[in-house]
Amino acid sequence: MLPEALTVLATAGGTAVVQAAGTDAWDGLRRRVAVWFGRGDAERESGELARLDQTASALDAGDGGSAERIRIRQEALWQARFEGLLEGLTQDERDRAAAELQSLLDAHRSSGTVVGDGGLVVGGDLNVSADNHSVAGGVVNGGVHLSSPPPPPVSSQG
């Protein structure tokens, strides 16, 4: 049985896989997860890419009430896969693999926008605007730093 910290890490991995599927972040995360599972074995890595593609297809096929069931099932499946790999390693290998997985997840979180239930996380700039009598809004949970926009570029026409 894994320590709680590794179970939490495996859960985060499963959630990241499911949340990234079908987004701009998918290709990068898909590749990094396959490399992590492959552990240097190209054939195993290829198999993981196929499994990840199956997950994306399953999530894309869900509609209505089935979509939530599919999402929950896929998260649990990937959590179990992450846990299974970690459990099968020696302590030194497990420590190294856990650090690699944590780094992979940290890079994923900071690489751009991650959409989840109830919101999104953005690593970088996010602009919300409204025009033509439309409405735009947002809610911030956490700190915000506001500054004046940079001045417009000076025209060099003479």
Side-chain angles (χ1 to χ4, degrees):
M1 183 158 190
L2 288 177
E4 183 178 353
L6 293 182
T7 301
V8 169
L9 186 60
T11 301
T15 300
V17 166
V18 169
Q19 286 182 345
T23 71
D24 291 343
W26 177 242
D27 287 336
L29 182 70
R30 173 185 171 270
R31 186 79 181 128
R32 288 188 301 271
V33 167
V35 167
W36 185 85
F37 272 104
R39 318 285 327 138
D41 181 328
E43 191 173 318
R44 195 175 344 165
E45 187 177 316
S46 178
E48 293 304 325
L49 288 169
R51 283 183 188 86
L52 288 158
D53 290 342
Q54 289 171 351
T55 292
S57 293
L59 291 165
D60 189 45
D63 60 351
S66 71
E68 182 65 11
R69 286 191 303 277
I70 292 169
R71 186 190 62 74
I72 291 168
R73 183 175 186 284
Q74 290 297 324
E75 280 185 16
L77 182 144
W78 282 100
Q79 176 185 345
R81 290 193 52 70
F82 283 111
E83 287 176 354
L85 188 140
L86 290 167
E87 285 175 342
L89 299 174
T90 66
Q91 188 60 49
D92 287 344
E93 292 170 327
R94 184 181 298 162
D95 291 344
R96 196 168 32 259
E100 291 168 1
L101 180 55
Q102 184 64 61
S103 177
L104 180 157
L105 294 173
D106 289 346
H108 170 65
R109 285 185 200 107
S110 67
S111 68
T113 303
V114 179
V115 178
D117 294 344
L120 56 97
V121 176
V122 178
D125 295 338
L126 172 67
N127 296 305
V128 178
S129 62
D131 61 2
N132 297 323
H133 308 292
S134 63
V135 176
V139 175
V140 175
N141 295 313
V144 174
H145 173 73
L146 299 175
S147 61
S148 299
V154 177
S155 174
S156 60
Q157 292 180 346

